[in-house]
Amino acid sequence: MTALIACHFALALFASPLVRRLGTRAFVVLALPPAAAAIWAGAQWRGTADGEARGSSWRWLPDYGVEFALRLDALGELMVLLVGGVGALVLLYCASYFPDRTPQLGRFAGNLLAFAGAMLGLVLADDLILLYVFWELTTVFSFLLIGQHSGVKQNRRSALQALTVTTMGGLAMLVGFLILGQAAHTYRLSELIAHPPASSAAVSTAVVLVLCGALSKSAIWPFSLWLPNAMAAPTPVSAYLHAAAMVKGGVYLVARLAPAFADVTPWRPLLLILGSATMLLGGWRALRLHDLKLVLAYGTVSQLGFLTVLAGAGHYDTGVAAVVMILAHALFKAPLFLVTGIIDHAAGTRDLRGLSGLARRLPAVCAVALVAGLSMAAVPPMLGFAAKEAAFQTLLDGSAADRWALAAAVVGSALTTAYTLRYLWGAFARKPGHHDTATHPVPRAFLAAPALLACLCLVLGPGVGWTDHLLSAYAAGFPAPAHPYHLALWHGWGPALLLSALAWAGGLGLFLAGRPVARLGRLLAWRSADREFGRILLGLERTALQCTGFVQRGSLSVYLATTLAVVLAGQIAVLAVDSPWRGAPAPRLWDNPAQAAVTVLTCTVALLSLGVRRRMKAVVLAGLTGYGTALLFVVQGAPDLALTQFCVETVSMLVFVLVLRRMPVYFEENFTRWRRTVRMPVALGGAAAVAVVVWIMAGARRGDFAGAAMVEETDHHGLKDVVATILVDLRSWDTMGESSVLAAAAIGVTSLIYLHRRTDRDDPLPEPAPRETAGTGLRTAWTQSHGDLAGLPEGDEGAPGRTWLAAGRTLAPEHRSVVFEVVARLVYHPILVLSVYLLFCAENMPGGGFVAGLVAGLAFITRYLAGGRYELAEAAPFGPGLFTGLGLVVSTGVALGGLAEGTVLHGGTWHGHVPLFGEVHASTALLFDCGVYLLVLGVVLDIVRALGGKVDRQIERLAALRAAEGHGGGR
């Protein structure tokens, strides 16, 4: 089972290259995983029908009782057959539906196959948390599929609407899962259903939250607004996600949990009322629409309400009726959507007012639609008739609440008959006063998928008894009645058949009275839920803008003062109502006089920064406070932390310097005496509050130090650098998360610089001309980068001709320093070697991937400062994104490997002799550190490239334009 799910996602990764190479024929290859899932499920039919269940699991989060557990039982068997079988046919249908040159077709194919894999995982999941993971994956992939044509505003809005509604429901469902798991002391779904927790207020709350997720996924009122708008997606998406797969997810969850929680308040009232309301509202709305796809969409909403009523009734017989209706609905609704796509292709429209005579022009398409439509209208001998008979009879034999739901079901069935006739008449009938619609021929391969599904509706009607053994195995989870219901096409003359006849007659009457019904519908129409949703979003946006405008004034000093004032006020409030310092030891000012001396110097520098008005001076003073902190680490005996702090402060100061080149020398705010009088006490008070909090927290410790066990672990392995070992071994997941945040922050910062083209690269190093001078080199570089701009100043012919750096000749003479170039040339390689040394010695000496990456970044920064942006491009010819991405891949891969019983990170070591190095001890934690090294190096290069090279380019362009304007003015 795990392999089947993995195959879907693995092949989805190669969808784009397959589509580029094979065109639409790639869909035939992509249909193999869902077809294999359906075949595998079919091979398990006999066992699951006998009540057997196959499962597999492996530990995922053992401390929380969460496992990657999969299970196939009778209900899972049915859903896998639908997900895999219909998914394979839809993918084959895509091969004829899309032209070869469809934009972004590879991405669409990958998303559709990945969605099939996520849906397969959802119906097989036997763990609540795992089910939620796959649940949200289906939400994400449906968002991508609905918004496939992202250039169209309506598609983007529809995708966002579906994502918003289903995600909010999913989050509520997650909370319900957590409550149920805690109440039952297990997250295993099969165990939860076999031994449900005792009814209580917490369990009832959890049930309501879980149903919120299920109802939002299956578009039950009031969450039904997103499904009709999702018809903006391509027709194959509508046929699969919104008829056979995704929207069945909520009904599946209700059916899965019903044996355990149907008797919990308010399960039955909630589902019966909302399901009945959805059935009636959706069917009534379908009678007033002219787009064939929207008619089917609102019909789907109506029938999902019917399925919710059957699945939520919570009895043996209604359970059988629910699962056979799930099967029937998928088999008749999916081919109708696919036929709609064929009509759209062949006739160029889906508006039933513009279609006429297609029954004669497309007889095969009409036959397929007629078979599927008769099944949807529950006409014998179709499968839909057998399912509808089962629903009517089981609700009739149920409780009083079930009989009220039966009345709604009969009315809903009449509406179903009416909009089915409206669909068939609108698509294929010859309308008076209209010429026959011109159509293109329909290839047989295009019609094969809907034809096969429609044939199943016809075959499984008389053969519905073949499914009785399997579907009854699901219903066995409910208490069995004395005379259980059995599926058959004909149960004789009785009340159920009479109700069906009433539904057919009512539906025929509604269809024949189409115009009066449409006028009545317009008179009784409520406000559009879609419009109300838009108003809510607009109101939220306006409120957010007003709140943002109120609190975000654009003044950094105001933000800092507010933060410090809140900290200070909170501390004063605590001190006023409590005495948290009681029991805390008296503060010890220092361990040795050196600490006091460093502290005094650091505090002095910090106080001097309060009155600074020059930006550069403020940066230098702030950096000195950081160096002072690093000196405290040295005095305290933490050289590894001190080394990291020194490197961070150095890189930070250089980055600040690069930024300040484009900013005014002085702070632009008005530094009046009144503002200083207010800000200084706030700053000093905030600092004192933080110091007091740290002192109180240190004195309030009662438990053992958390690091004691980690220190013992590192000692056991013979390692000395405890901090580095903890970061890359014992807490590698935390480090990986922090690394991801660092990469995201760097990408965000540089994206603001490269606002229009994130992939901008530095200009290539210009080829040197014979005996060219530095000034000529600058002109050559500028000409290659920006074209021939008049007015670029000539270089000094007397400038030094020797270039110590590869790109030194691109700098103007006034910007060059031969001493700096020589120093940069001499220290560049030793700094890189030092970074590699710090990387490999991290287990027993100060170092590590983070500090090593910073040191390597300093080497490249040195070359940039000495030779400019061309020198940086020469030193790092590969894009910084390559280092960042490779680092994330390496560190993530090693961390994921550590999930395998912890053998990778904690047990993977190698000892050996390496020439020139001697005895070498390497562990897989070193591989993780290599990933961190590459990531940090990539981040530093990206920031320097953006804040250095890009700013240099802007400065050069402005200087050239000013020079050109000066020459023009002189002439």
Side-chain angles (χ1 to χ4, degrees), residues 534-550:
R535 289 179 177 177
I536 292 174
L537 289 185
L538 182 60
L540 288 175
E541 182 178 356
R542 289 177 175 174
T543 303
L545 289 174
Q546 291 175 356
C547 293
T548 302
F550 178 75

Side-chain angles (χ1 to χ4, degrees), residues 419-754:
Y419 65 69
T420 301
L421 293 173
R422 179 177 172 81
Y423 175 89
L424 294 175
W425 169 81
F428 299 102
R430 174 175 284 181
K431 302 176 181 65
H434 290 77
H435 296 290
D436 287 356
T437 305
T439 60
H440 301 294
V442 177
R444 293 181 179 179
F446 202 4
L447 190 58
L452 179 57
L453 292 171
C455 287
L456 289 175
C457 292
L458 181 60
V459 171
L460 288 179
V464 69
W466 303 337
T467 65
D468 184 68
H469 192 38
L470 175 71
L471 303 184
S472 297
Y474 157 72
F478 299 96
H483 302 287
Y485 185 86
H486 292 285
L487 294 172
L489 180 63
W490 179 253
H491 285 274
W493 303 95
L497 184 61
L498 177 61
L499 293 175
S500 295
L502 288 175
W504 296 328
L508 180 60
L510 288 171
F511 170 69
L512 295 177
R515 291 184 178 179
V517 168
R519 286 196 297 268
L520 180 61
R522 286 192 290 270
L523 290 175
L524 300 179
W526 294 357
R527 288 186 177 182
S528 171
D530 180 59
R531 183 176 299 176
E532 294 301 318
F533 180 82
R535 289 179 177 177
I536 292 174
L537 289 185
L538 182 60
L540 288 175
E541 182 178 356
R542 289 177 175 174
T543 303
L545 289 174
Q546 291 175 356
C547 293
T548 302
F550 178 75
V551 300
Q552 299 291 325
R553 297 295 183 178
S555 173
L556 180 60
S557 59
V558 171
Y559 302 154
L560 291 175
T562 303
T563 303
L564 293 176
V566 170
V567 172
L568 183 59
Q571 180 64 27
I572 292 175
V574 172
L575 293 176
V577 301
D578 199 357
S579 301
W581 60 84
R582 292 181 180 177
R588 187 171 56 193
L589 298 180
W590 60 75
D591 291 328
N592 58 69
Q595 291 178 332
V598 174
T599 302
V600 170
L601 292 176
T602 304
C603 292
T604 301
V605 174
L607 291 173
L608 290 175
S609 64
L610 291 176
V612 173
R613 298 186 60 187
R614 288 177 174 265
R615 297 181 187 271
M616 187 65 70
K617 187 176 181 181
V619 169
V620 172
L621 291 175
L624 289 177
T625 60
Y627 285 125
T629 304
L631 288 176
L632 283 176
F633 290 148
V634 172
V635 176
Q636 190 64 25
D640 47 354
L641 297 179
L643 180 60
T644 303
Q645 181 73 15
F646 278 123
C647 293
V648 168
E649 289 298 332
T650 302
V651 173
S652 300
M653 289 185 65
L654 291 174
V655 170
F656 271 117
V657 170
L658 295 177
V659 174
L660 293 181
R661 292 181 300 166
R662 299 287 292 161
M663 299 184 70
V665 176
Y666 292 92
F667 290 107
E668 296 178 352
E669 292 182 313
N670 183 18
F671 275 80
T672 63
R673 181 173 300 178
W674 179 84
R675 289 191 176 187
R676 291 186 183 182
T677 304
V678 173
R679 290 178 181 179
M680 287 185 181
V682 172
L684 296 175
V690 172
V692 172
V693 169
V694 171
W695 166 57
I696 294 175
M697 290 176 61
R701 182 188 297 275
R702 295 294 182 266
D704 296 333
F705 286 92
M710 297 182 180
V711 173
E712 182 180 355
E713 182 72 16
T714 54
D715 289 341
H716 177 71
H717 287 82
L719 305 176
K720 297 179 180 179
D721 193 342
V722 176
V723 174
T725 305
I726 289 173
L727 292 178
V728 301
D729 193 341
L730 304 179
R731 300 189 62 180
S732 57
W733 277 103
D734 292 342
T735 305
M736 187 186 70
E738 294 165 359
S739 301
S740 302
V741 172
L742 177 64
I747 292 172
V749 170
T750 54
S751 295
L752 293 176
I753 304 298
Y754 294 93

